[in-house]
Amino acid sequence: MKKHKLFTPGPTSIPEEVLLEMAKPIMHHRTEEFLKIAKEVFEGLKYLFQTKNDVFILASSGTGAMESSIVNLFSKSEKIIVINGGKFGERFVEIGKAYELNVVDIKVEWGKSLSKEELEKIIEENRDAKGVCVNLCETSTATHFDVKGYGEIISKYPDIVFIVDAISSLGAIPCYMDEWKIDCLLTGSQKAFMLPPGLSFISLSEKAWERVEKSNLPKYYFDLKKYKKSLEKFDFPFTIPVSLIVGLRKSIQIIKEYTLEKIWEEHKKRATATREGILAMGLSLLSSCPSDAVTGVILPEGINGDELIKFIRKTYGISIAGGQDKLKGKIVRISHLGWQDEFDVLTAITAVGVGLEKFGYKLNIEKGIEKAKEILFSH
Ligand SMILES: Cc1ncc(COP(=O)(O)O)c(C=O)c1O
């Protein structure tokens, strides 16, 4: 018998209380009873986004919210700058190109970040740009991008809106929409919100709404004006996944009770312990600017990462993620997102160590555990 443990950067584990809420008999979505729940959820989302703006809920995975940001904020042939440090930066590039925008693709070496000074220089070279897109955590490389610093720069340009994909990081690491001058912030349900996949969330600043009024890109399902109108009655323009909203109310309650600050602190502790433990074992890290949402670990030469992950899952019931694209087979990624605790860190790093041993690569697992333990239980 195996107890399945999910340490992938989405989907993530779901607390029992949330699962039980979602197991309740479904109700109709145009009822007072449901709209009362929706009202509570819309209010709670403002706390998660750290904003006074409305937060809209879309029935889509995170990519739907990314597409929504592009189709609502821009017009034909407009120029956008995309900070592209991995698979999900690349996704912004692809969406922009699909809508025939003029995309300035700023390729950042995978595992590296970009300074705010570098961004300022890029903007100065592209003064006709109308937007900058970035991922707060580039999940494919486990790398953190300095959204706070970028916001300081971008807010000096009245014609440029700042779009942040925090799909794998909102609710896990600090992100203050209003204070950091983010014009469009978006995320998904299956990561730090401790829910199944299926919902995405998007919020716009006043500056962004001015752009929506002018935007002429084609849109229907993701037309945020429709969502804005419905939200006046705490409603949705289309049938919303009712059970996910009911589950979301519970996960928001859990997060509020615990407080974001405490949750961020715990993610940071787990991420630090994972990184230090992995290094002490004798492995190395992928990112030079690691996110506290997920850790990328470089595998020793000659190890097939995909086989290793399959082995760990089948033999020990532990799911971790592999590399994507050019990192396929070369790394593993351990998530710190959502419903996890200190012992999950010890489990995840031990699984990597033991798995590698079975593949014939000897590591100092004990030293890794000792180091992680020191950080996790220091006070
Ligand atoms: C940073 C980031 N952006 C976008 C996505 C795509 O989200 P989805 O698969 O929910 O469409 C992901 C998914 O892992 C992500 O981590």
Side-chain angles (χ1 to χ4, degrees):
M1 256 189 271
K2 291 286 167 224
K3 230 181 184 179
H4 189 74
K5 298 184 190 77
L6 195 54
F7 302 135
T8 53
T12 59
S13 294
I14 304 171
E16 252 169 53
E17 300 145 271
V18 177
L19 288 172
L20 289 172
E21 281 296 312
M22 292 189 297
K24 285 182 179 167
I26 194 152
M27 62 181 95
H28 191 262
H29 60 293
R30 309 271 187 223
T31 55
E32 266 176 40
E33 192 190 1
F34 182 68
L35 295 184
K36 210 169 135 224
I37 294 173
K39 184 170 184 226
E40 193 181 326
V41 162
F42 284 124
E43 282 307 317
L45 286 170
K46 289 185 182 182
Y47 170 66
L48 296 190
F49 274 59
Q50 293 288 296
T51 186
K52 290 197 190 71
N53 304 313
D54 287 330
V55 181
F56 304 100
I57 307 176
L58 313 175
S60 76
S61 77
T63 305
M66 293 174 85
E67 180 155 344
S68 175
S69 70
I70 298 292
V71 298
N72 281 280
L73 294 179
F74 302 108
S75 290
K76 282 182 186 134
S77 322
E78 278 184 345
K79 185 186 264 192
I80 60 166
I81 297 167
V82 176
I83 302 174
N84 172 6
K87 275 314 275 180
F88 298 110
E90 194 176 282
R91 188 156 303 178
F92 266 133
V93 172
E94 287 168 0
I95 298 171
K97 286 188 175 164
Y99 285 95
E100 296 180 9
L101 294 183
N102 176 3
V103 180
V104 181
D105 181 0
I106 305 299
K107 289 195 171 66
V108 179
E109 194 185 329
W110 284 29
K112 298 247 167 11
S113 197
L114 184 91
S115 72
K116 61 178 184 180
E117 291 76 19
E118 284 169 309
L119 176 64
E120 187 160 26
K121 199 162 160 276
I122 293 162
I123 294 176
E124 278 303 312
E125 286 160 7
N126 293 279
R127 287 300 300 269
D128 52 341
K130 298 290 179 204
V132 174
C133 305
V134 72
N135 320 94
L136 174 58
C137 166
E138 171 50 77
T139 326
S140 62
T141 65
T143 298
H144 178 76
F145 282 80
D146 179 18
V147 165
K148 182 172 186 250
Y150 303 157
E152 286 165 19
I153 304 295
I154 296 166
S155 59
K156 293 194 279 187
Y157 298 85
D159 286 344
I160 302 182
V161 285
F162 183 26
I163 300 175
V164 177
D165 158 8
I167 290 175
S168 61
S169 47
L170 198 79
I173 63 175
C175 184
Y176 299 89
M177 179 170 184
D178 296 352
E179 211 178 301
W180 290 3
K181 301 178 169 55
I182 300 168
D183 295 304
C184 174
L185 182 62
L186 56 98
T187 192
S189 55
Q190 76 275 27
K191 317 267 184 181
F193 284 18
M194 306 177 287
L195 283 174
L199 296 177
S200 68
F201 310 90
I202 184 165
S203 183
L204 304 187
S205 70
E206 262 178 49
K207 183 174 167 186
W209 275 112
E210 286 167 22
R211 301 296 291 276
V212 174
E213 295 306 325
K214 294 184 199 142
S215 161
N216 65 8
L217 288 183
K219 49 192 154 289
Y220 187 86
Y221 190 73
F222 291 134
D223 182 350
L224 291 178
K225 281 188 185 167
K226 292 188 173 77
Y227 291 80
K228 191 176 192 216
K229 193 158 186 301
S230 297
L231 193 96
E232 285 166 16
K233 295 189 189 124
F234 306 109
D235 203 351
F236 307 86
F238 311 108
T239 310
I240 198 78
V242 170
S243 304
L244 289 179
I245 298 291
V246 172
L248 176 59
R249 175 174 63 165
K250 180 48 90 181
S251 60
I252 290 174
Q253 283 168 0
I254 296 171
I255 293 169
K256 275 173 99 172
E257 199 174 314
Y258 216 73
T259 77
L260 274 176
E261 288 74 11
K262 191 135 185 268
I263 290 172
W264 295 336
E265 198 184 298
E266 292 194 350
H267 277 76
K268 189 180 168 70
K269 194 205 263 184
R270 292 199 299 273
T272 310
T274 303
R275 292 193 293 261
E276 293 298 320
I278 286 291
L279 289 171
M281 261 184 205
L283 291 167
S284 50
L285 300 172
L286 170 67
S287 179
S288 59
C289 187
S291 172
D292 289 337
V294 57
T295 294
V297 181
I298 299 176
L299 295 173
E301 202 66 37
I303 297 287
N304 180 331
D306 291 344
E307 289 300 318
L308 177 71
I309 285 167
K310 209 191 289 171
F311 173 81
I312 293 174
R313 191 178 68 244
K314 289 208 165 146
T315 320
Y316 309 122
I318 294 167
S319 289
I320 52 175
Q324 293 165 287
D325 208 319
K326 58 186 167 199
L327 291 176
K328 196 168 165 47
K330 297 187 175 146
I331 61 159
V332 292
R333 291 174 300 146
I334 302 168
S335 153
H336 314 298
L337 290 166
W339 192 47
Q340 289 199 11
D341 65 21
E342 292 90 342
F343 289 95
D344 288 328
V345 172
L346 301 180
T347 304
I349 64 172
T350 307
V352 173
V354 173
L356 278 170
E357 250 181 21
K358 298 283 181 197
F359 275 55
Y361 193 84
K362 185 86 186 102
L363 288 164
N364 197 335
I365 300 176
E366 290 71 21
K367 206 168 156 206
I369 292 173
E370 195 51 46
K371 187 73 203 168
K373 207 179 83 189
E374 230 174 81
I375 295 162
L376 291 166
F377 303 107
S378 55
H379 45 252

